[in-house]
Amino acid sequence: MRNFFAIIFLCAACCCFYSCKYDTIEPMLDGYPQHIGKIFSSHCATTGCHTTADKDFASGLDLSSWNALFNGARNGSPVIPFSSKYSFLCYFINSYPDLGIISDSIGNRMPPDPLPVLSHNDVDAIMTWINTGALSNFGKERFPNDASRKKIYAAMQSRDMVAVMDAASRQIMRYIKVGANDNVTELPHQIRISPDGQYWYVLFLSGQIVQRFRTFDDSFVDQAVIGPGNWNTMSVTPDGNHLFAADFSPAPAGKIVHVDLQTMTVTSSFDQLQNPHGTYFMQTQNVLYVTAQYGNFIYKFNFGTSPDYNVIDVPDFILMQTGASVNTAHSFDPHEIIFSADEQKYFVTCQWSNEVRIFNSANDMLLDSVSVGSFPQEMAISPARNLLFVTCQEDSASATLQPGEKGSVFVYNYQTN
């Protein structure tokens, strides 16, 4: 009996010894599949580099665990699931032209000199892992489909892609291919979310379509053919059944098309407009506002009680300046329009006069004008804080800018002025 317990003890001790020996030779990182964790633990998450303790000296990137990887780095998301092509981690670790962008082309490589580069097999393994979802060791996705997840969408205009970001972590979750023609760059320019939050729509500068995707899983649903044009912006009606898209062309080619989203067909077109750009459809009234990019006015289409938006009177001209007459010469050049949450006020960026003009929506009378940075363009509203954010594309005078820098965001409290 004594010999039996001795044998059991000896076997347990051997197992413990070999287990500790294995952990010492091949330490594993939490959450990664074994083969990926082995590469990172040997070459990346080492003392002085991409560890939790040292990440601040390594671009903020912590590779010591699968969860830490997806916290991102100072310059964004290092790994985009299903897309090694857009995962910047791969640019730094790759030294092989047949696998894509190489580290020499970006002036830096990891691991740094004089350490040896990763092998072709290791780089290929990491890219394959990313392209198949960058799953954890238990096959878990970092950003699974979740109806409660809040997302941010950004059009990647020169790549015919849309970046989908997780609003909580601010990390890019996916890149979604958009457009109908793989042989032509269609230039996705604007994205709109349906009022019920079920769909997102994308419009193309050089395309002839508007496409619809589901917000739950970002899968393609269908598209409407709207014809050739310089398509810039769009608005969806409060019931989610109609869409208006602006063709940013000079008169007489400039137009607004009306798309029936239930049939995904164009039912009418409002033509001979002067460079229509920004659009806003009021939630409280059956009214569409459209900025005229060059000149001193915006269009106002009042549909009255029309349920189908097919019949329309000549649009009203809302002047940027009281007492002026309509003209298309450079003066204010209204670019974009946005309304306060209660729709009692609306704001127009005037890129020529470098200001935001504020109007009373009840009578379209000018309330105020606010000087901002050079070439104001897009706007966003924070209703909870009564703040208006204005991007000033060419601003070089802001005190926060360094020499050679340009561009600023102007913040305005529209309750206190």
Side-chain angles (χ1 to χ4, degrees):
M1 190 70 170
R2 187 175 297 173
N3 290 338
F4 173 76
F5 284 112
I7 292 171
I8 294 298
F9 175 79
L10 181 61
C11 291
C14 289
C15 289
C16 181
F17 171 76
Y18 281 111
S19 174
C20 293
K21 181 179 179 182
Y22 180 83
D23 287 345
T24 302
I25 294 174
E26 297 183 21
M28 295 308 299
L29 299 181
D30 181 48
Y32 291 112
Q34 182 174 340
H35 68 298
I36 299 299
K38 182 178 179 180
I39 297 170
F40 285 161
S41 65
S42 301
H43 301 281
C44 309
T46 57
T47 301
C49 292
H50 298 287
T51 66
T52 302
D54 299 314
K55 67 177 182 178
D56 290 341
F57 305 101
S59 299
L61 177 58
D62 183 358
L63 294 174
S64 62
S65 72
W66 183 74
N67 281 323
L69 162 68
F70 286 105
N71 288 331
R74 284 199 291 270
N75 47 352
S77 305
V79 166
I80 315 299
F82 301 102
S83 184
S84 67
K85 181 179 179 180
Y86 296 106
S87 297
F88 75 75
L89 174 73
C90 298
Y91 307 158
F92 289 93
I93 66 172
N94 181 37
S95 303
Y96 310 97
D98 63 303
L99 294 180
I101 295 175
I102 62 174
S103 56
D104 287 349
S105 67
I106 60 173
N108 201 354
R109 77 163 175 88
M110 291 289 157
D113 287 329
L115 298 174
V117 299
L118 294 186
S119 70
H120 189 283
N121 285 343
D122 283 350
V123 176
D124 186 50
I126 291 173
M127 288 184 172
T128 300
W129 172 65
I130 293 172
N131 288 332
T132 52
L135 305 180
S136 74
N137 55 334
F138 293 111
K140 177 184 175 182
E141 288 188 29
R142 179 60 181 85
F143 302 105
N145 294 328
D146 182 350
S148 64
R149 186 187 303 282
K150 293 183 178 181
K151 299 179 179 180
I152 301 168
Y153 293 91
M156 315 304 288
Q157 185 166 291
S158 65
R159 290 290 181 264
D160 283 4
M161 305 287 284
V162 167
V164 186
M165 287 167 273
D166 173 55
S169 66
R170 300 185 182 182
Q171 300 302 308
I172 299 174
M173 303 186 300
R174 300 283 187 275
Y175 274 113
I176 307 299
K177 180 72 174 71
V178 295
N181 190 341
D182 291 338
N183 298 318
V184 176
T185 303
E186 295 172 86
L187 305 176
H189 188 70
Q190 191 179 66
I191 298 167
R192 289 288 189 216
I193 310 297
S194 62
D196 62 6
Q198 299 299 306
Y199 302 101
W200 55 271
Y201 298 90
V202 58
L203 191 66
F204 302 82
L205 280 177
S206 298
Q208 300 187 31
I209 56 172
V210 57
Q211 292 186 316
R212 174 160 54 188
F213 292 76
R214 287 187 182 86
T215 53
F216 173 69
D217 58 4
D218 300 305
S219 61
F220 173 78
V221 179
D222 50 18
Q223 63 188 31
V225 177
I226 58 178
N230 186 1
W231 304 104
N232 269 241
T233 69
M234 57 186 162
S235 289
V236 180
T237 57
D239 60 11
N241 293 330
H242 304 270
L243 178 148
F244 295 91
D247 173 4
F248 179 63
S249 297
K255 59 184 176 294
I256 299 290
V257 296
H258 164 225
V259 179
D260 185 329
L261 295 177
Q262 295 177 302
T263 62
M264 292 302 282
T265 56
V266 173
T267 63
S268 57
S269 176
F270 315 132
D271 304 321
Q272 299 188 23
L273 304 183
Q274 181 66 44
N275 296 104
H277 185 267
T279 59
Y280 184 92
F281 196 98
M282 291 187 70
Q283 307 295 301
T284 54
Q285 299 182 39
N286 228 18
V287 173
L288 173 71
Y289 285 81
V290 181
T291 63
Q293 177 73 72
Y294 304 117
N296 69 340
F297 65 94
I298 61 178
Y299 298 102
K300 180 181 180 180
F301 298 85
N302 193 329
F303 297 99
T305 58
S306 171
D308 53 15
Y309 312 100
N310 289 330
V311 179
I312 187 170
D313 294 330
V314 174
D316 292 329
F317 294 90
I318 310 303
L319 295 171
M320 294 290 99
Q321 182 179 14
T322 304
S325 57
V326 173
N327 73 74
T328 56
H330 287 302
S331 52
F332 294 96
D333 291 3
H335 178 80
E336 192 57 88
I337 181 171
I338 194 170
F339 277 63
S340 59
D342 58 11
E343 295 193 329
Q344 293 183 10
K345 298 177 181 179
Y346 61 88
F347 311 87
V348 180
T349 48
C350 299
Q351 65 182 38
W352 186 263
S353 57
N354 297 329
E355 62 185 331
V356 172
R357 299 225 132 193
I358 305 166
F359 292 82
N360 183 337
S361 60
N363 54 18
D364 297 308
M365 295 299 295
L366 180 66
L367 295 175
D368 200 1
S369 63
V370 181
S371 295
V372 296
S374 178
F375 211 67
Q377 296 286 283
E378 314 307 328
M379 293 176 285
I381 285 245
S382 171
R385 299 187 179 186
N386 301 316
L387 297 179
L388 175 73
F389 299 85
V390 185
T391 60
C392 302
Q393 181 174 308
E394 300 298 324
D395 188 15
S396 59
S398 172
T400 61
L401 292 170
Q402 300 299 314
E405 293 181 339
K406 68 177 181 179
S408 65
V409 176
F410 182 89
V411 187
Y412 172 70
N413 188 314
Y414 58 85
Q415 288 292 76
T416 64
N417 298 322

